[in-house]
Amino acid sequence: MDATYRALCRHGYAALTMQDIADECGKSKAALHYHYESKQMLLESFLEFLLKRSEARFENIAGDDPAARLFNLVDEVLTPPSEGEDGPDAEFKTAMLEIKAQAPYEPVFREKLVQFDEHLTERIAVLVADGIEQGVFDVDDPETAAAFIKTFLNGAQMRFVATGTSLDETRVMLESYIRTELLADDADVSQEALA
Amino acid sequence: MDATYRALCRHGYAALTMQDIADECGKSKAALHYHYESKQMLLESFLEFLLKRSEARFENIAGDDPAARLFNLVDEVLTPPSEGEDGPDAEFKTAMLEIKAQAPYEPVFREKLVQFDEHLTERIAVLVADGIEQGVFDVDDPETAAAFIKTFLNGAQMRFVATGTSLDETRVMLESYIRTELLADDADVSQEALA
């Protein structure tokens, strides 16, 4: 899975071959084919691996209250690449957009991407619902708020890859939206969440 | 350009060859190469053609007032494919997402995509600014409102391609956002805009 990650960063999805992945893990192409019949099947396992990892990450988001946890979740999704605009993380975001563009042709990719989408939307909805219960959010419908935020997050990722729009810029807009539209007027929110 | 559109719908971007485009316009591949050295160069011209067309379209958006024009613009960008989820329009949206995923590798694609992004964002900003002047919108900063809406529009397009999320569903969310966040409380907006 690490070798697949590195190969995707180096070559992108379209140009990726089983040989590239074999090279990254120091195994023969034949050994790789023993476990995975095709590039599609390997990528399917890779998406499953990413899904499990992202589920674990988003279920254990830090924060003193639901608002702080929502801001931290937004931060995690929209963190700019650590090594400048061209670091491995930027390359990986690009590879993921390539894979998303293949979804209509590859039903197994579509299936995993729907699970990703539903899981993150559901996590956001739970944080919003928790926030309503604890009086920090004032929202009618947590599901709609979550779908709205999820859609915006995807737009930020797409603009980053397609046009180089800074993730910092779109993250600030979303944080401002959450502050003005979701936070209750008298919310007693930790300083961390409003920093 | 029509042949390129049809070939993109039929084959997607990754699998597209000059032969596919030649086949669609009933010309030889040699004739096509006479005008365009490579698939990349033909696609660059195609993006330029789309840009000019979309500029003309968004500069002549119908509507009695800026709010009606903004709702009509959102409608145009998020119109579901005319022939069901798998019609040529859906295929074209997928091909465009493939091209966006190539932007980091193809500077000429990136350049055109930035022009698209800037033009649409600017058109939205102008409509919001016009709306403020005419008292239908109550917004502090038209540029930020426009960037926010543009990002959401891209997210809606990405979720449509990657996960099949209905454009109707995301359009309704954005319209509701514009109504509650942008419209002035006492706005006298045409019925068309609020329908």
Side-chain angles (χ1 to χ4, degrees), chain B residues 72-132:
Chain B
N72 284 336
L73 181 148
V74 167
D75 255 14
E76 274 218 37
V77 177
L78 300 184
T79 293
S82 45
E83 305 177 32
E85 299 284 296
D86 296 321
D89 196 34
E91 287 158 359
F92 185 65
K93 282 182 175 30
T94 299
M96 281 304 292
L97 189 60
E98 288 188 272
I99 289 172
K100 286 174 179 174
Q102 295 304 312
Y105 312 117
E106 301 279 359
V108 292
F109 289 3
R110 163 67 59 92
E111 193 192 315
K112 295 288 172 235
L113 292 170
V114 168
Q115 287 173 23
F116 263 101
D117 189 78
E118 285 176 351
H119 181 259
L120 186 50
T121 308
E122 183 54 29
R123 285 311 303 160
I124 298 171
V126 166
L127 290 178
V128 175
D130 287 353
I132 295 171

Side-chain angles (χ1 to χ4, degrees), chain B residues 1-6 21 36 42 45-50:
Chain B
M1 295 295 110
D2 283 345
T4 305
Y5 174 85
R6 288 195 304 274
I21 301 167
Y36 302 102
L42 199 161
S45 291
F46 181 67
L47 288 177
E48 180 65 32
F49 161 79
L50 288 184

